[in-house]
Amino acid sequence: RRITTNTPLQALVTLNDPVYIEAAQALARRMVKEGGPTTESRLSFAFRQIALRPPSPGESDQLAKLFRRRHDFYRAAPDAAREMATSELGPIPDGMDVAELAAYTNVCNVLLNLDEFLTRG
């Protein structure tokens, strides 16, 4: 059992560790494939996979803002998008947008770093 912590060292490891990036990429691909047709439904799908509960309205808003910011960034930086979306799992599946997938990967990386995911109450 892990205790709740606010140490930046843990966050630096989990945000940058290749295993966490690979897990975030895999969850992002599932979001696109199984999460429904809208950004909101996909964000809710991923949140439920991680936290085993629906997101609150505030959590949904924050995730949507993060997605939009990162999506805008990756549309302007296709090489960075390809790196984020493929660095660990390899090429993206046919029909998926690389900028969108990279932005969802960032969102999933954040979700995988929630205290709710890392610790057990």
Side-chain angles (χ1 to χ4, degrees):
R1 179 181 161 133
R2 294 186 52 139
I3 59 167
T4 301
T5 180
N6 63 355
T7 173
L9 193 53
Q10 176 179 298
L12 285 172
V13 169
T14 55
L15 283 170
N16 296 299
D17 188 280
V19 171
Y20 277 80
I21 300 297
E22 182 177 357
Q25 288 171 344
L27 182 55
R29 293 174 188 204
R30 272 193 73 197
M31 286 172 76
V32 172
K33 186 176 178 184
E34 302 171 32
T38 67
T39 299
E40 292 75 22
S41 66
R42 291 172 177 176
L43 294 172
S44 180
F45 171 84
F47 193 93
R48 286 175 183 265
Q49 298 301 303
I50 295 299
L52 303 177
R53 65 173 177 83
S56 71
E59 290 166 332
S60 291
D61 289 345
Q62 290 299 312
L63 292 173
K65 285 177 189 175
L66 173 62
F67 172 77
R68 285 191 302 272
R69 282 193 318 268
R70 300 311 296 166
H71 191 235
D72 289 346
F73 169 78
Y74 286 124
R75 278 190 295 183
D79 290 339
R82 187 158 310 284
E83 176 70 19
M84 178 52 68
T86 66
S87 63
E88 303 302 329
L89 284 183
I92 63 172
D94 290 338
M96 290 189 184
D97 177 79
V98 69
E100 182 181 58
L101 198 56
Y104 282 133
T105 298
N106 283 157
V107 169
C108 291
N109 199 14
V110 167
L111 292 174
L112 290 169
N113 277 276
L114 291 175
D115 226 17
E116 203 167 340
F117 179 75
L118 294 172
T119 62
R120 187 171 57 125

